[in-house]
Amino acid sequence: MRTPVIAGNWKMYKTIAEAVDFVAKIKPVAEKATYCQVVVAPPFTALAAAAQAAKGSKVAVSAQDVHWDKEGAHTGDVAPGMLLEAGCTHVIIGHSERRADHGETDVLVNRKLKAALAAGLTPIVCVGEILADREAGKTEEVLERQFSGGFAGLTPSDFSRIIIAYEPVWAIGTGRTATPEMAADSQRFIRDLARRQFGGYEADALRILYGGSVKPENIAGLMAQEEIDGALVGGASLKVDSFSAIINYLRA
Ligand code: PGA
């Protein structure tokens, strides 16, 4: 009932030429994977070229961040309309690396989210606890805070256009994956928050991706969980072979 999403977050990797080459190679793989949506998130500089290369295919292109204003004196930032013009349909918001490197708060996540929705982009909003929170038994508290702050003031209809990525920070780029059961527990908790704040229909339809050291070797186990509706993949999305294997999780 919920169409899974396999999204590759390229972070600060790949030149324009590399991005175009990758998209050309992943297009036929995405075409055959009729059971899921495929998204790639190149750095800003490669967005337009990647979107051009993906045109008419099943590969959607996402930005990794967005500013909340339509335009203005914001050095280094990129507006929602600019992403649309470049050919993006999706945008990642609130990734833990943005939260850590750039001090992004839930208030900023909320502003970006509203701007992205207003522009017609599909936001992929990241939430997740750091190791100290998990060890202190505070995972749910953190998720609840990120959820209520990040999604404040949205209508159920706004919310129905959002994809959430649950990414335990301790599992990102560390090779330490949450077990499928751990991920599913947190994701069930997030879905319950969605049910309370927005309603049963919206909660049931919400896609929640798992992110954090997703690899060809662990994708099948993760996707076997009813609660996990796809993956946000960092490192393993940089190589055509490993990203293809993840897209082909049904055959893993
Ligand atoms: P990783 O990154 O797959 O390299 O752990 C995931 C992410 O940061 O989205």
Side-chain angles (χ1 to χ4, degrees):
M1 162 187 94
R2 298 189 288 261
T3 306
V5 178
I6 302 292
N9 173 13
W10 293 351
K11 310 191 179 184
M12 203 169 69
Y13 292 100
K14 289 197 191 294
T15 62
I16 296 174
E18 288 166 348
V20 168
D21 181 60
F22 188 101
V23 169
K25 289 180 174 143
I26 215 71
K27 275 200 303 196
V29 180
E31 226 58 55
K32 282 195 211 122
T34 48
Y35 46 85
C36 71
Q37 292 177 349
V38 175
V39 180
V40 293
F44 284 131
T45 46
L47 285 177
Q52 187 62 35
K55 218 171 188 168
S57 80
K58 248 199 73 187
V59 178
V61 173
S62 174
Q64 299 174 16
D65 184 36
V66 66
H67 195 271
W68 54 86
D69 273 348
K70 289 199 171 83
E71 59 182 7
H74 302 293
T75 304
D77 279 315
V78 179
M82 296 169 180
L83 298 181
L84 278 183
E85 187 195 24
C88 290
T89 50
H90 293 65
V91 58
I92 297 170
I93 296 177
H95 190 278
S96 61
E97 285 152 12
R98 303 259 352 142
R99 293 177 190 257
D101 296 351
H102 300 273
E104 252 178 45
T105 60
D106 295 322
V107 170
L108 286 191
V109 168
N110 186 250
R111 287 167 86 173
K112 292 179 174 200
L113 177 53
K114 286 176 176 160
L117 286 169
L121 291 160
T122 300
I124 302 174
V125 182
C126 302
V127 296
E129 78 287 358
I130 61 171
L131 186 59
D133 293 329
R134 176 155 288 263
E135 286 177 342
K138 289 188 176 158
T139 299
E140 295 191 347
E141 189 186 308
V142 170
L143 292 176
E144 190 156 11
R145 187 174 66 232
Q146 291 175 339
F147 191 97
S148 59
F151 301 119
L154 296 187
T155 64
S157 130
D158 290 334
F159 186 74
S160 69
R161 294 171 44 209
I162 291 169
I163 296 170
I164 294 182
Y166 168 61
E167 301 205 304
V169 180
W170 48 271
I172 296 179
T174 56
R176 236 182 115 168
T177 329
T179 63
E181 293 72 22
M182 254 180 189
D185 277 351
S186 294
Q187 300 201 182
R188 197 169 303 112
F189 179 74
I190 293 167
R191 202 176 298 284
D192 284 342
L193 294 173
R195 188 164 286 116
R196 265 186 268 151
Q197 193 164 328
F198 296 103
Y201 177 81
E202 286 72 14
D204 289 340
L206 170 69
R207 265 100 50 96
I208 308 180
L209 318 184
Y210 168 78
S213 298
V214 173
K215 305 267 180 288
E217 301 75 50
N218 59 28
I219 185 70
L222 290 161
M223 292 305 289
Q225 293 286 332
E226 166 84 34
E227 274 301 329
I228 300 181
D229 306 310
L232 182 56
V233 187
S237 75
L238 293 171
K239 296 242 159 60
V240 173
D241 284 356
S242 48
F243 195 50
S244 300
I246 291 171
I247 294 170
N248 290 329
Y249 62 86
L250 286 179
R251 274 173 266 157

